[in-house]
PDB file of all heavy atoms in Angstrom:
ATOM      1  N   VAL M  79       0.707 -18.285   1.163  1.00  0.00           N
ATOM      2  CA  VAL M  79       0.551 -17.380   2.297  1.00  0.00           C
ATOM      3  C   VAL M  79       1.245 -18.020   3.495  1.00  0.00           C
ATOM      4  O   VAL M  79       0.870 -19.105   3.932  1.00  0.00           O
ATOM      5  CB  VAL M  79      -0.934 -17.090   2.596  1.00  0.00           C
ATOM      6  CG1 VAL M  79      -1.071 -16.253   3.869  1.00  0.00           C
ATOM      7  CG2 VAL M  79      -1.579 -16.375   1.414  1.00  0.00           C
ATOM      8  N   THR M  80       2.266 -17.335   4.000  1.00  0.00           N
ATOM      9  CA  THR M  80       3.109 -17.925   5.050  1.00  0.00           C
ATOM     10  C   THR M  80       2.854 -17.369   6.443  1.00  0.00           C
ATOM     11  O   THR M  80       3.167 -18.026   7.434  1.00  0.00           O
ATOM     12  CB  THR M  80       4.597 -17.720   4.707  1.00  0.00           C
ATOM     13  OG1 THR M  80       4.847 -16.313   4.591  1.00  0.00           O
ATOM     14  CG2 THR M  80       4.960 -18.423   3.409  1.00  0.00           C
ATOM     15  N   ARG M  81       2.318 -16.149   6.538  1.00  0.00           N
ATOM     16  CA  ARG M  81       2.057 -15.528   7.840  1.00  0.00           C
ATOM     17  C   ARG M  81       0.835 -14.642   7.744  1.00  0.00           C
ATOM     18  O   ARG M  81       0.485 -14.166   6.668  1.00  0.00           O
ATOM     19  CB  ARG M  81       3.236 -14.635   8.274  1.00  0.00           C
ATOM     20  CG  ARG M  81       4.451 -15.369   8.719  1.00  0.00           C
ATOM     21  CD  ARG M  81       5.536 -14.402   9.225  1.00  0.00           C
ATOM     22  NE  ARG M  81       6.043 -13.573   8.139  1.00  0.00           N
ATOM     23  CZ  ARG M  81       6.397 -12.301   8.260  1.00  0.00           C
ATOM     24  NH1 ARG M  81       6.287 -11.691   9.413  1.00  0.00           N
ATOM     25  NH2 ARG M  81       6.871 -11.626   7.234  1.00  0.00           N
ATOM     26  N   LEU M  82       0.249 -14.388   8.908  1.00  0.00           N
ATOM     27  CA  LEU M  82      -0.939 -13.560   8.982  1.00  0.00           C
ATOM     28  C   LEU M  82      -0.985 -12.903  10.356  1.00  0.00           C
ATOM     29  O   LEU M  82      -0.762 -13.568  11.366  1.00  0.00           O
ATOM     30  CB  LEU M  82      -2.182 -14.430   8.778  1.00  0.00           C
ATOM     31  CG  LEU M  82      -3.555 -13.801   8.942  1.00  0.00           C
ATOM     32  CD1 LEU M  82      -3.830 -12.800   7.845  1.00  0.00           C
ATOM     33  CD2 LEU M  82      -4.619 -14.880   8.944  1.00  0.00           C
ATOM     34  N   THR M  83      -1.271 -11.585  10.406  1.00  0.00           N
ATOM     35  CA  THR M  83      -1.484 -10.915  11.683  1.00  0.00           C
ATOM     36  C   THR M  83      -2.820 -10.178  11.636  1.00  0.00           C
ATOM     37  O   THR M  83      -3.313  -9.817  10.565  1.00  0.00           O
ATOM     38  CB  THR M  83      -0.358  -9.915  12.035  1.00  0.00           C
ATOM     39  OG1 THR M  83      -0.355  -8.854  11.089  1.00  0.00           O
ATOM     40  CG2 THR M  83       1.007 -10.603  12.056  1.00  0.00           C
ATOM     41  N   TYR M  84      -3.355  -9.938  12.825  1.00  0.00           N
ATOM     42  CA  TYR M  84      -4.684  -9.334  12.960  1.00  0.00           C
ATOM     43  C   TYR M  84      -4.669  -8.381  14.146  1.00  0.00           C
ATOM     44  O   TYR M  84      -4.101  -8.685  15.184  1.00  0.00           O
ATOM     45  CB  TYR M  84      -5.700 -10.456  13.180  1.00  0.00           C
ATOM     46  CG  TYR M  84      -7.018 -10.034  13.784  1.00  0.00           C
ATOM     47  CD1 TYR M  84      -7.979  -9.391  13.021  1.00  0.00           C
ATOM     48  CD2 TYR M  84      -7.310 -10.316  15.126  1.00  0.00           C
ATOM     49  CE1 TYR M  84      -9.202  -9.028  13.575  1.00  0.00           C
ATOM     50  CE2 TYR M  84      -8.528  -9.958  15.679  1.00  0.00           C
ATOM     51  CZ  TYR M  84      -9.465  -9.316  14.908  1.00  0.00           C
ATOM     52  OH  TYR M  84     -10.672  -8.958  15.449  1.00  0.00           O
ATOM     53  N   SER M  85      -5.290  -7.221  13.967  1.00  0.00           N
ATOM     54  CA  SER M  85      -5.479  -6.279  15.076  1.00  0.00           C
ATOM     55  C   SER M  85      -6.915  -5.784  15.064  1.00  0.00           C
ATOM     56  O   SER M  85      -7.431  -5.398  14.021  1.00  0.00           O
ATOM     57  CB  SER M  85      -4.546  -5.067  14.938  1.00  0.00           C
ATOM     58  OG  SER M  85      -3.197  -5.461  15.002  1.00  0.00           O
ATOM     59  N   ASN M  86      -7.522  -5.793  16.228  1.00  0.00           N
ATOM     60  CA  ASN M  86      -8.889  -5.296  16.371  1.00  0.00           C
ATOM     61  C   ASN M  86      -8.816  -3.854  16.866  1.00  0.00           C
ATOM     62  O   ASN M  86      -8.465  -3.595  18.017  1.00  0.00           O
ATOM     63  CB  ASN M  86      -9.666  -6.167  17.363  1.00  0.00           C
ATOM     64  CG  ASN M  86     -11.113  -5.747  17.471  1.00  0.00           C
ATOM     65  OD1 ASN M  86     -11.453  -4.577  17.322  1.00  0.00           O
ATOM     66  ND2 ASN M  86     -11.980  -6.708  17.742  1.00  0.00           N
ATOM     67  N   LEU M  87      -9.158  -2.909  15.983  1.00  0.00           N
ATOM     68  CA  LEU M  87      -9.153  -1.482  16.307  1.00  0.00           C
ATOM     69  C   LEU M  87     -10.563  -0.902  16.221  1.00  0.00           C
ATOM     70  O   LEU M  87     -10.748   0.277  15.920  1.00  0.00           O
ATOM     71  CB  LEU M  87      -8.198  -0.739  15.362  1.00  0.00           C
ATOM     72  CG  LEU M  87      -6.755  -1.245  15.347  1.00  0.00           C
ATOM     73  CD1 LEU M  87      -5.942  -0.533  14.270  1.00  0.00           C
ATOM     74  CD2 LEU M  87      -6.094  -1.092  16.699  1.00  0.00           C
ATOM     75  N   MET M  88     -11.557  -1.748  16.497  1.00  0.00           N
ATOM     76  CA  MET M  88     -12.952  -1.323  16.376  1.00  0.00           C
ATOM     77  C   MET M  88     -13.298  -0.199  17.345  1.00  0.00           C
ATOM     78  O   MET M  88     -14.142   0.642  17.042  1.00  0.00           O
ATOM     79  CB  MET M  88     -13.889  -2.516  16.599  1.00  0.00           C
ATOM     80  CG  MET M  88     -13.912  -3.471  15.431  1.00  0.00           C
ATOM     81  SD  MET M  88     -14.810  -5.016  15.744  1.00  0.00           S
ATOM     82  CE  MET M  88     -16.362  -4.473  16.362  1.00  0.00           C
ATOM     83  N   ASP M  89     -12.655  -0.175  18.496  1.00  0.00           N
ATOM     84  CA  ASP M  89     -12.998   0.820  19.512  1.00  0.00           C
ATOM     85  C   ASP M  89     -12.091   2.052  19.461  1.00  0.00           C
ATOM     86  O   ASP M  89     -12.025   2.816  20.415  1.00  0.00           O
ATOM     87  CB  ASP M  89     -12.934   0.184  20.910  1.00  0.00           C
ATOM     88  CG  ASP M  89     -14.032  -0.844  21.105  1.00  0.00           C
ATOM     89  OD1 ASP M  89     -15.101  -0.697  20.489  1.00  0.00           O
ATOM     90  OD2 ASP M  89     -13.810  -1.810  21.860  1.00  0.00           O
ATOM     91  N   THR M  90     -11.414   2.245  18.328  1.00  0.00           N
ATOM     92  CA  THR M  90     -10.578   3.426  18.149  1.00  0.00           C
ATOM     93  C   THR M  90     -11.252   4.364  17.149  1.00  0.00           C
ATOM     94  O   THR M  90     -12.293   4.028  16.572  1.00  0.00           O
ATOM     95  CB  THR M  90      -9.185   3.039  17.596  1.00  0.00           C
ATOM     96  OG1 THR M  90      -9.328   2.597  16.242  1.00  0.00           O
ATOM     97  CG2 THR M  90      -8.527   1.947  18.440  1.00  0.00           C
ATOM     98  N   ASP M  91     -10.644   5.516  16.911  1.00  0.00           N
ATOM     99  CA  ASP M  91     -11.180   6.458  15.914  1.00  0.00           C
ATOM    100  C   ASP M  91     -11.176   5.850  14.513  1.00  0.00           C
ATOM    101  O   ASP M  91     -11.924   6.288  13.639  1.00  0.00           O
ATOM    102  CB  ASP M  91     -10.352   7.745  15.895  1.00  0.00           C
ATOM    103  CG  ASP M  91     -10.542   8.563  17.155  1.00  0.00           C
ATOM    104  OD1 ASP M  91     -11.555   8.340  17.854  1.00  0.00           O
ATOM    105  OD2 ASP M  91      -9.676   9.414  17.444  1.00  0.00           O
ATOM    106  N   GLU M  92     -10.314   4.851  14.300  1.00  0.00           N
ATOM    107  CA  GLU M  92     -10.193   4.262  12.962  1.00  0.00           C
ATOM    108  C   GLU M  92     -11.307   3.265  12.652  1.00  0.00           C
ATOM    109  O   GLU M  92     -11.553   2.944  11.497  1.00  0.00           O
ATOM    110  CB  GLU M  92      -8.822   3.609  12.817  1.00  0.00           C
ATOM    111  CG  GLU M  92      -7.707   4.646  12.840  1.00  0.00           C
ATOM    112  CD  GLU M  92      -6.391   4.087  13.332  1.00  0.00           C
ATOM    113  OE1 GLU M  92      -6.208   2.857  13.296  1.00  0.00           O
ATOM    114  OE2 GLU M  92      -5.548   4.885  13.766  1.00  0.00           O
ATOM    115  N   HIS M  93     -11.989   2.742  13.662  1.00  0.00           N
ATOM    116  CA  HIS M  93     -13.100   1.801  13.476  1.00  0.00           C
ATOM    117  C   HIS M  93     -12.769   0.740  12.433  1.00  0.00           C
ATOM    118  O   HIS M  93     -13.441   0.643  11.389  1.00  0.00           O
ATOM    119  CB  HIS M  93     -14.385   2.539  13.058  1.00  0.00           C
ATOM    120  CG  HIS M  93     -14.850   3.537  14.052  1.00  0.00           C
ATOM    121  ND1 HIS M  93     -15.353   3.202  15.275  1.00  0.00           N
ATOM    122  CD2 HIS M  93     -14.858   4.893  14.008  1.00  0.00           C
ATOM    123  CE1 HIS M  93     -15.671   4.299  15.944  1.00  0.00           C
ATOM    124  NE2 HIS M  93     -15.371   5.335  15.195  1.00  0.00           N
ATOM    125  N   CYS M  94     -11.731  -0.043  12.703  1.00  0.00           N
ATOM    126  CA  CYS M  94     -11.317  -1.011  11.689  1.00  0.00           C
ATOM    127  C   CYS M  94     -10.748  -2.281  12.299  1.00  0.00           C
ATOM    128  O   CYS M  94     -10.453  -2.350  13.500  1.00  0.00           O
ATOM    129  CB  CYS M  94     -10.284  -0.379  10.751  1.00  0.00           C
ATOM    130  SG  CYS M  94      -8.677  -0.100  11.515  1.00  0.00           S
ATOM    131  N   LEU M  95     -10.612  -3.264  11.445  1.00  0.00           N
ATOM    132  CA  LEU M  95      -9.888  -4.496  11.735  1.00  0.00           C
ATOM    133  C   LEU M  95      -8.734  -4.535  10.749  1.00  0.00           C
ATOM    134  O   LEU M  95      -8.942  -4.350   9.547  1.00  0.00           O
ATOM    135  CB  LEU M  95     -10.799  -5.719  11.541  1.00  0.00           C
ATOM    136  CG  LEU M  95     -12.103  -5.704  12.351  1.00  0.00           C
ATOM    137  CD1 LEU M  95     -13.010  -6.842  11.896  1.00  0.00           C
ATOM    138  CD2 LEU M  95     -11.810  -5.812  13.835  1.00  0.00           C
ATOM    139  N   GLU M  96      -7.534  -4.739  11.245  1.00  0.00           N
ATOM    140  CA  GLU M  96      -6.353  -4.743  10.380  1.00  0.00           C
ATOM    141  C   GLU M  96      -5.864  -6.161  10.152  1.00  0.00           C
ATOM    142  O   GLU M  96      -5.658  -6.915  11.101  1.00  0.00           O
ATOM    143  CB  GLU M  96      -5.205  -3.951  11.027  1.00  0.00           C
ATOM    144  CG  GLU M  96      -5.323  -2.482  10.885  1.00  0.00           C
ATOM    145  CD  GLU M  96      -4.030  -1.766  11.275  1.00  0.00           C
ATOM    146  OE1 GLU M  96      -2.998  -2.419  11.498  1.00  0.00           O
ATOM    147  OE2 GLU M  96      -4.076  -0.542  11.338  1.00  0.00           O
ATOM    148  N   TRP M  97      -5.668  -6.482   8.896  1.00  0.00           N
ATOM    149  CA  TRP M  97      -5.121  -7.776   8.492  1.00  0.00           C
ATOM    150  C   TRP M  97      -3.851  -7.550   7.684  1.00  0.00           C
ATOM    151  O   TRP M  97      -3.842  -6.726   6.764  1.00  0.00           O
ATOM    152  CB  TRP M  97      -6.118  -8.528   7.615  1.00  0.00           C
ATOM    153  CG  TRP M  97      -7.388  -8.880   8.313  1.00  0.00           C
ATOM    154  CD1 TRP M  97      -8.571  -8.187   8.283  1.00  0.00           C
ATOM    155  CD2 TRP M  97      -7.609 -10.007   9.142  1.00  0.00           C
ATOM    156  NE1 TRP M  97      -9.509  -8.822   9.047  1.00  0.00           N
ATOM    157  CE2 TRP M  97      -8.951  -9.947   9.587  1.00  0.00           C
ATOM    158  CE3 TRP M  97      -6.810 -11.075   9.567  1.00  0.00           C
ATOM    159  CZ2 TRP M  97      -9.505 -10.914  10.421  1.00  0.00           C
ATOM    160  CZ3 TRP M  97      -7.361 -12.038  10.400  1.00  0.00           C
ATOM    161  CH2 TRP M  97      -8.694 -11.952  10.817  1.00  0.00           C
ATOM    162  N   HIS M  98      -2.805  -8.275   8.017  1.00  0.00           N
ATOM    163  CA  HIS M  98      -1.554  -8.217   7.264  1.00  0.00           C
ATOM    164  C   HIS M  98      -1.144  -9.655   6.988  1.00  0.00           C
ATOM    165  O   HIS M  98      -1.027 -10.456   7.919  1.00  0.00           O
ATOM    166  CB  HIS M  98      -0.458  -7.505   8.069  1.00  0.00           C
ATOM    167  CG  HIS M  98      -0.874  -6.151   8.550  1.00  0.00           C
ATOM    168  ND1 HIS M  98      -0.869  -5.045   7.725  1.00  0.00           N
ATOM    169  CD2 HIS M  98      -1.344  -5.727   9.752  1.00  0.00           C
ATOM    170  CE1 HIS M  98      -1.305  -4.000   8.419  1.00  0.00           C
ATOM    171  NE2 HIS M  98      -1.602  -4.381   9.648  1.00  0.00           N
ATOM    172  N   LEU M  99      -0.956  -9.951   5.705  1.00  0.00           N
ATOM    173  CA  LEU M  99      -0.491 -11.307   5.385  1.00  0.00           C
ATOM    174  C   LEU M  99       0.689 -11.238   4.440  1.00  0.00           C
ATOM    175  O   LEU M  99       0.918 -10.230   3.777  1.00  0.00           O
ATOM    176  CB  LEU M  99      -1.620 -12.192   4.856  1.00  0.00           C
ATOM    177  CG  LEU M  99      -2.324 -11.862   3.557  1.00  0.00           C
ATOM    178  CD1 LEU M  99      -1.537 -12.378   2.359  1.00  0.00           C
ATOM    179  CD2 LEU M  99      -3.693 -12.527   3.543  1.00  0.00           C
ATOM    180  N   TRP M 100       1.445 -12.306   4.423  1.00  0.00           N
ATOM    181  CA  TRP M 100       2.660 -12.379   3.607  1.00  0.00           C
ATOM    182  C   TRP M 100       2.547 -13.540   2.627  1.00  0.00           C
ATOM    183  O   TRP M 100       2.193 -14.654   3.003  1.00  0.00           O
ATOM    184  CB  TRP M 100       3.883 -12.552   4.508  1.00  0.00           C
ATOM    185  CG  TRP M 100       4.215 -11.281   5.217  1.00  0.00           C
ATOM    186  CD1 TRP M 100       5.133 -10.349   4.842  1.00  0.00           C
ATOM    187  CD2 TRP M 100       3.610 -10.774   6.411  1.00  0.00           C
ATOM    188  NE1 TRP M 100       5.146  -9.292   5.728  1.00  0.00           N
ATOM    189  CE2 TRP M 100       4.215  -9.528   6.703  1.00  0.00           C
ATOM    190  CE3 TRP M 100       2.619 -11.242   7.272  1.00  0.00           C
ATOM    191  CZ2 TRP M 100       3.859  -8.764   7.802  1.00  0.00           C
ATOM    192  CZ3 TRP M 100       2.253 -10.478   8.377  1.00  0.00           C
ATOM    193  CH2 TRP M 100       2.878  -9.252   8.625  1.00  0.00           C
ATOM    194  N   TYR M 101       2.820 -13.229   1.384  1.00  0.00           N
ATOM    195  CA  TYR M 101       2.716 -14.171   0.266  1.00  0.00           C
ATOM    196  C   TYR M 101       4.121 -14.387  -0.280  1.00  0.00           C
ATOM    197  O   TYR M 101       4.757 -13.452  -0.766  1.00  0.00           O
ATOM    198  CB  TYR M 101       1.796 -13.587  -0.807  1.00  0.00           C
ATOM    199  CG  TYR M 101       1.643 -14.430  -2.047  1.00  0.00           C
ATOM    200  CD1 TYR M 101       0.508 -15.226  -2.232  1.00  0.00           C
ATOM    201  CD2 TYR M 101       2.611 -14.422  -3.044  1.00  0.00           C
ATOM    202  CE1 TYR M 101       0.356 -15.986  -3.379  1.00  0.00           C
ATOM    203  CE2 TYR M 101       2.464 -15.187  -4.190  1.00  0.00           C
ATOM    204  CZ  TYR M 101       1.338 -15.968  -4.352  1.00  0.00           C
ATOM    205  OH  TYR M 101       1.195 -16.721  -5.482  1.00  0.00           O
ATOM    206  N   ARG M 102       4.609 -15.603  -0.210  1.00  0.00           N
ATOM    207  CA  ARG M 102       5.972 -15.893  -0.645  1.00  0.00           C
ATOM    208  C   ARG M 102       5.980 -16.391  -2.090  1.00  0.00           C
ATOM    209  O   ARG M 102       5.342 -17.382  -2.422  1.00  0.00           O
ATOM    210  CB  ARG M 102       6.611 -16.939   0.255  1.00  0.00           C
ATOM    211  CG  ARG M 102       8.024 -17.305  -0.187  1.00  0.00           C
ATOM    212  CD  ARG M 102       8.767 -18.046   0.865  1.00  0.00           C
ATOM    213  NE  ARG M 102       9.016 -17.137   1.968  1.00  0.00           N
ATOM    214  CZ  ARG M 102       9.471 -17.517   3.144  1.00  0.00           C
ATOM    215  NH1 ARG M 102       9.723 -18.787   3.376  1.00  0.00           N
ATOM    216  NH2 ARG M 102       9.677 -16.646   4.097  1.00  0.00           N
ATOM    217  N   VAL M 103       6.693 -15.677  -2.929  1.00  0.00           N
ATOM    218  CA  VAL M 103       6.903 -16.078  -4.318  1.00  0.00           C
ATOM    219  C   VAL M 103       8.093 -17.025  -4.389  1.00  0.00           C
ATOM    220  O   VAL M 103       8.072 -18.035  -5.082  1.00  0.00           O
ATOM    221  CB  VAL M 103       7.150 -14.841  -5.221  1.00  0.00           C
ATOM    222  CG1 VAL M 103       7.470 -15.260  -6.652  1.00  0.00           C
ATOM    223  CG2 VAL M 103       5.951 -13.900  -5.177  1.00  0.00           C
ATOM    224  N   SER M 104       9.151 -16.674  -3.626  1.00  0.00           N
ATOM    225  CA  SER M 104      10.368 -17.481  -3.562  1.00  0.00           C
ATOM    226  C   SER M 104      11.068 -17.149  -2.252  1.00  0.00           C
ATOM    227  O   SER M 104      10.624 -16.273  -1.504  1.00  0.00           O
ATOM    228  CB  SER M 104      11.286 -17.163  -4.747  1.00  0.00           C
ATOM    229  OG  SER M 104      11.764 -15.829  -4.635  1.00  0.00           O
ATOM    230  N   GLU M 105      12.181 -17.799  -1.983  1.00  0.00           N
ATOM    231  CA  GLU M 105      12.934 -17.519  -0.757  1.00  0.00           C
ATOM    232  C   GLU M 105      13.340 -16.056  -0.685  1.00  0.00           C
ATOM    233  O   GLU M 105      13.421 -15.471   0.388  1.00  0.00           O
ATOM    234  CB  GLU M 105      14.184 -18.411  -0.675  1.00  0.00           C
ATOM    235  CG  GLU M 105      13.900 -19.842  -0.280  1.00  0.00           C
ATOM    236  CD  GLU M 105      13.297 -19.949   1.113  1.00  0.00           C
ATOM    237  OE1 GLU M 105      13.764 -19.254   2.042  1.00  0.00           O
ATOM    238  OE2 GLU M 105      12.330 -20.720   1.264  1.00  0.00           O
ATOM    239  N   GLU M 106      13.611 -15.453  -1.836  1.00  0.00           N
ATOM    240  CA  GLU M 106      14.104 -14.072  -1.872  1.00  0.00           C
ATOM    241  C   GLU M 106      12.998 -13.043  -2.092  1.00  0.00           C
ATOM    242  O   GLU M 106      13.260 -11.848  -2.036  1.00  0.00           O
ATOM    243  CB  GLU M 106      15.136 -13.889  -3.010  1.00  0.00           C
ATOM    244  CG  GLU M 106      16.334 -14.807  -2.959  1.00  0.00           C
ATOM    245  CD  GLU M 106      16.046 -16.201  -3.508  1.00  0.00           C
ATOM    246  OE1 GLU M 106      15.234 -16.330  -4.449  1.00  0.00           O
ATOM    247  OE2 GLU M 106      16.626 -17.165  -2.980  1.00  0.00           O
ATOM    248  N   ARG M 107      11.794 -13.489  -2.362  1.00  0.00           N
ATOM    249  CA  ARG M 107      10.756 -12.543  -2.794  1.00  0.00           C
ATOM    250  C   ARG M 107       9.452 -12.824  -2.059  1.00  0.00           C
ATOM    251  O   ARG M 107       8.815 -13.850  -2.251  1.00  0.00           O
ATOM    252  CB  ARG M 107      10.575 -12.687  -4.296  1.00  0.00           C
ATOM    253  CG  ARG M 107       9.834 -11.545  -4.942  1.00  0.00           C
ATOM    254  CD  ARG M 107      10.051 -11.575  -6.450  1.00  0.00           C
ATOM    255  NE  ARG M 107       9.241 -10.590  -7.099  1.00  0.00           N
ATOM    256  CZ  ARG M 107       9.591  -9.315  -7.268  1.00  0.00           C
ATOM    257  NH1 ARG M 107      10.749  -8.903  -6.830  1.00  0.00           N
ATOM    258  NH2 ARG M 107       8.785  -8.460  -7.880  1.00  0.00           N
ATOM    259  N   GLU M 108       9.054 -11.849  -1.218  1.00  0.00           N
ATOM    260  CA  GLU M 108       7.846 -12.003  -0.424  1.00  0.00           C
ATOM    261  C   GLU M 108       7.047 -10.698  -0.454  1.00  0.00           C
ATOM    262  O   GLU M 108       7.609  -9.620  -0.310  1.00  0.00           O
ATOM    263  CB  GLU M 108       8.207 -12.363   1.013  1.00  0.00           C
ATOM    264  CG  GLU M 108       7.030 -12.717   1.873  1.00  0.00           C
ATOM    265  CD  GLU M 108       7.448 -13.233   3.239  1.00  0.00           C
ATOM    266  OE1 GLU M 108       8.180 -12.509   3.949  1.00  0.00           O
ATOM    267  OE2 GLU M 108       7.056 -14.346   3.584  1.00  0.00           O
ATOM    268  N   TRP M 109       5.750 -10.812  -0.652  1.00  0.00           N
ATOM    269  CA  TRP M 109       4.851  -9.661  -0.695  1.00  0.00           C
ATOM    270  C   TRP M 109       4.114  -9.536   0.631  1.00  0.00           C
ATOM    271  O   TRP M 109       3.715 -10.532   1.227  1.00  0.00           O
ATOM    272  CB  TRP M 109       3.812  -9.846  -1.798  1.00  0.00           C
ATOM    273  CG  TRP M 109       4.357  -9.695  -3.180  1.00  0.00           C
ATOM    274  CD1 TRP M 109       5.047 -10.637  -3.896  1.00  0.00           C
ATOM    275  CD2 TRP M 109       4.264  -8.544  -4.013  1.00  0.00           C
ATOM    276  NE1 TRP M 109       5.385 -10.130  -5.117  1.00  0.00           N
ATOM    277  CE2 TRP M 109       4.918  -8.841  -5.216  1.00  0.00           C
ATOM    278  CE3 TRP M 109       3.691  -7.282  -3.839  1.00  0.00           C
ATOM    279  CZ2 TRP M 109       5.008  -7.935  -6.261  1.00  0.00           C
ATOM    280  CZ3 TRP M 109       3.773  -6.373  -4.876  1.00  0.00           C
ATOM    281  CH2 TRP M 109       4.434  -6.698  -6.077  1.00  0.00           C
ATOM    282  N   GLN M 110       3.892  -8.298   1.058  1.00  0.00           N
ATOM    283  CA  GLN M 110       3.022  -8.031   2.197  1.00  0.00           C
ATOM    284  C   GLN M 110       1.713  -7.492   1.649  1.00  0.00           C
ATOM    285  O   GLN M 110       1.709  -6.591   0.808  1.00  0.00           O
ATOM    286  CB  GLN M 110       3.650  -7.019   3.150  1.00  0.00           C
ATOM    287  CG  GLN M 110       2.760  -6.729   4.346  1.00  0.00           C
ATOM    288  CD  GLN M 110       3.415  -5.816   5.360  1.00  0.00           C
ATOM    289  OE1 GLN M 110       4.632  -5.845   5.531  1.00  0.00           O
ATOM    290  NE2 GLN M 110       2.606  -5.008   6.026  1.00  0.00           N
ATOM    291  N   ILE M 111       0.619  -8.055   2.130  1.00  0.00           N
ATOM    292  CA  ILE M 111      -0.705  -7.613   1.697  1.00  0.00           C
ATOM    293  C   ILE M 111      -1.449  -7.104   2.922  1.00  0.00           C
ATOM    294  O   ILE M 111      -1.650  -7.846   3.891  1.00  0.00           O
ATOM    295  CB  ILE M 111      -1.475  -8.761   1.010  1.00  0.00           C
ATOM    296  CG1 ILE M 111      -0.666  -9.278  -0.184  1.00  0.00           C
ATOM    297  CG2 ILE M 111      -2.865  -8.299   0.589  1.00  0.00           C
ATOM    298  CD1 ILE M 111      -1.175 -10.564  -0.783  1.00  0.00           C
ATOM    299  N   ASP M 112      -1.799  -5.820   2.890  1.00  0.00           N
ATOM    300  CA  ASP M 112      -2.510  -5.192   3.999  1.00  0.00           C
ATOM    301  C   ASP M 112      -3.965  -5.010   3.601  1.00  0.00           C
ATOM    302  O   ASP M 112      -4.262  -4.430   2.553  1.00  0.00           O
ATOM    303  CB  ASP M 112      -1.897  -3.820   4.323  1.00  0.00           C
ATOM    304  CG  ASP M 112      -0.434  -3.926   4.731  1.00  0.00           C
ATOM    305  OD1 ASP M 112      -0.051  -4.957   5.304  1.00  0.00           O
ATOM    306  OD2 ASP M 112       0.309  -2.969   4.469  1.00  0.00           O
ATOM    307  N   MET M 113      -4.846  -5.516   4.442  1.00  0.00           N
ATOM    308  CA  MET M 113      -6.281  -5.369   4.218  1.00  0.00           C
ATOM    309  C   MET M 113      -6.863  -4.732   5.467  1.00  0.00           C
ATOM    310  O   MET M 113      -6.893  -5.352   6.531  1.00  0.00           O
ATOM    311  CB  MET M 113      -6.916  -6.724   3.933  1.00  0.00           C
ATOM    312  CG  MET M 113      -6.414  -7.359   2.639  1.00  0.00           C
ATOM    313  SD  MET M 113      -6.995  -9.053   2.394  1.00  0.00           S
ATOM    314  CE  MET M 113      -6.056  -9.912   3.653  1.00  0.00           C
ATOM    315  N   ILE M 114      -7.286  -3.491   5.338  1.00  0.00           N
ATOM    316  CA  ILE M 114      -7.850  -2.755   6.467  1.00  0.00           C
ATOM    317  C   ILE M 114      -9.367  -2.757   6.303  1.00  0.00           C
ATOM    318  O   ILE M 114      -9.903  -2.165   5.371  1.00  0.00           O
ATOM    319  CB  ILE M 114      -7.300  -1.309   6.532  1.00  0.00           C
ATOM    320  CG1 ILE M 114      -5.773  -1.285   6.370  1.00  0.00           C
ATOM    321  CG2 ILE M 114      -7.748  -0.639   7.825  1.00  0.00           C
ATOM    322  CD1 ILE M 114      -4.995  -2.113   7.366  1.00  0.00           C
TER     323      ILE M 114
END
Side-chain angles (χ1 to χ4, degrees):
V79 174
T80 59
R81 286 184 294 144
L82 174 68
T83 65
Y84 161 76
S85 297
N86 184 328
L87 303 174
M88 286 171 51
D89 292 331
T90 69
D91 291 341
E92 293 153 21
H93 300 291
C94 71
L95 304 171
E96 280 192 9
W97 296 97
H98 306 281
L99 64 83
W100 286 264
Y101 178 101
R102 178 165 292 169
V103 176
S104 66
E105 284 297 317
E106 303 80 33
R107 196 164 174 86
E108 187 173 57
W109 287 80
Q110 180 175 328
I111 302 169
D112 299 330
M113 295 173 289
I114 313 303

